[in-house]
């Protein structure tokens, strides 16, 4: 389940760990910052481009570290608003990273709201019945370096789109940890990676603009509440009662709503910010008005935002999204109670990108 690469990734090093490794080699302390600047600020793709470093040091770095442990295999631009990147890792595993650009009313695409969706595992062990990522179970956790590398790949794509100005990661509005895998099941690598993403010597991206989505691992939600960096939290609820939720999300057996809801409350009280409840609408499964009423009560009680997502069909799975009328009726129950709610419109079918599907198609093609 664990993959030990020949060389650790440079993208998995913190300023402290890199400083220590360089110190052991007798290098001055300022070198670590210099190297991380080449990686994250100047974003070079080769060791020899780190021209301010002495040649022997560059040679040692090349022997010791993997500069970027994820290579671009495919960029599937399904529309002009999404880029789905398929990345290949050193053990040939595939992961997905998605760029989503949502144009704002009345302005051009260059002013769109830009979000990056990153993965934390190859596959997923949680077994939610509607999800493409979990169909083949968990292959392995990603390392911190592999999580960070996804963002450097995104920077390269953006750099190519806007050749005149090197597009900083800061030009993105949000990072959402909603790709393949259950982030809180790979907790230590996740926190290390996001620490690097947030740090001024790293990618310098604000913690408040990073959302971690979880299927509901209660002890880890409580642990996350105690982290010094204030990441945002989204809960994949998808059922407003245990009866409905446990039919589609096995995690509900270990952590039913009676455990999950107090953990979410504890998190939002500590952080003083709204948590998001995600609710995929699946026809005939969780789209009854009684579910909407229960969801309304939970959201009111938690002072949470609700994100309704019409289900994206997955090849080989029987689930479908409800009709627009039914989606609207469901949303109306929440709106009437003045719950903060978003229902993604038709464009979302493409935008949501249903992480995990691109990898699944490619894995299948490999087998044939
Ligand atoms: N494992 C984490 C994060 C990755 S899944 C989690 O479950 O929260 C990211 C989101 O996509 C989750 O809300 C998940 O339920 C949702 N999702 C999975 N399959 C989907 C599909 N086919 N259509 C729409 N949303 C889906
Ligand atoms: Fe895993 Fe999230 Fe998919 Fe559930 S919805 S199988 S937790 S990736």
């Amino acid at each position: 389940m664990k993959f030990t690469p020949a060389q650790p990734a440079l993208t998995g090093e913190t300023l402290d760990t890199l400083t220590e490794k360089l110190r052991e080699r007798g290098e001055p302390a300022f070198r670590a910052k210099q190297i991380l600047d080449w990686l994250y600020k100047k974003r070079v793709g080769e060791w020899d481009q780190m021209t301010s470093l002495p040649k022997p040091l560059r040679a040692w770095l090349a022997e010791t570290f993997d500069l970027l442990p994820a290579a671009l295999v495919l960029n599937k631009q399904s529309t002009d608003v999404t880029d789905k990147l398929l990345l290949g890792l050193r053990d040939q595993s595939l992961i997905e990273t998605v760029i989503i650009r949502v144009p704002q009313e009345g302005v051009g695409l260059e002013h769109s709201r830009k979000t990056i969706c990153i993965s934390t595992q190859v596959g997923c062990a949680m077994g939610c019945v509607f999800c493409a990522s979990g169909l083949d179970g968990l292959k392995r956790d990603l390392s911190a370096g592999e999580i960070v590398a996804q963002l450097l790949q995104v920077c390269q794509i953006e750099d190519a789109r806007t050749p005149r100005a090197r597009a900083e990661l800061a030009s993105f509005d949000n990072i959402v940890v909603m790709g393949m895998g259950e982030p809180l099941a790979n907790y230590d690598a996740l926190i290390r990676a996001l620490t690097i993403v947030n740090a001024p010597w790293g990618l310098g991206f604000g913690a408040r603009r990073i959302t971690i989505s979880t299927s509901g691992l209660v002890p880890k939600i409580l642990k996350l509440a105690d982290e010094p960096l204030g990441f945002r939290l989204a809960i994949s609820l998808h059922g407003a009662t245990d009866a409905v939720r446990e039919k589609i999300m096995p995690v509900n057996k270990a952590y039913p709503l009676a455990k999950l809801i107090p953990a979410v409350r504890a998190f939002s009280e500590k952080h003083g910010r709204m948590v998001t409840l995600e609710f995929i609408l699946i026809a005939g499964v969780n789209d009854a008005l009684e579910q909407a009423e229960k969801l309304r009560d939970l959201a009111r009680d938690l002072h949470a935002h609700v994100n309704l997502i019409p289900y994206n069909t997955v090849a080989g799975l029987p689930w479908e999204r409800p009709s627009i009328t039914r989606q609207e009726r469901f949303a109306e129950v929440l709106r009437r109670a003045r719950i903060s709610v978003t229902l993604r419109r038709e464009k979302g079918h493409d935008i949501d990108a249903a992480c995990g599907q691109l990898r699944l198609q490619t894995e299948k093609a490999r087998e044939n």
Side-chain angles (χ1 to χ4, degrees), residues 205-223:
F205 198 87
R208 287 184 169 73
R209 295 192 286 144
I210 301 176
T211 301
I212 299 169
S213 176
T214 177
S215 59
L217 294 178
V218 166
K220 296 292 165 60
I221 292 172
L222 295 172
K223 197 168 170 192

Side-chain angles (χ1 to χ4, degrees), residues 233-244:
L233 181 67
I235 303 291
S236 291
L237 198 64
H238 311 330
T241 54
D242 283 325
V244 169

Side-chain angles (χ1 to χ4, degrees), residues 117-118 120-121 124 126 128 130-133 177-183 212-216 234-238 249 278-280 309-314 317 352 354-355 357:
C117 175
I118 57 172
T120 51
Q121 296 182 312
C124 183
M126 304 308 293
C128 305
F130 48 80
C131 176
S133 294
V177 190
M178 292 189 186
M180 205 190 304
E182 167 49 54
I212 299 169
S213 176
T214 177
S215 59
I235 303 291
S236 291
L237 198 64
H238 311 330
M249 300 182 70
E278 292 168 278
F279 205 94
I280 317 176
I309 309 152
Y311 181 67
N312 273 310
T313 46
V314 174
L317 294 182
D352 289 339
C355 271
Q357 293 195 43

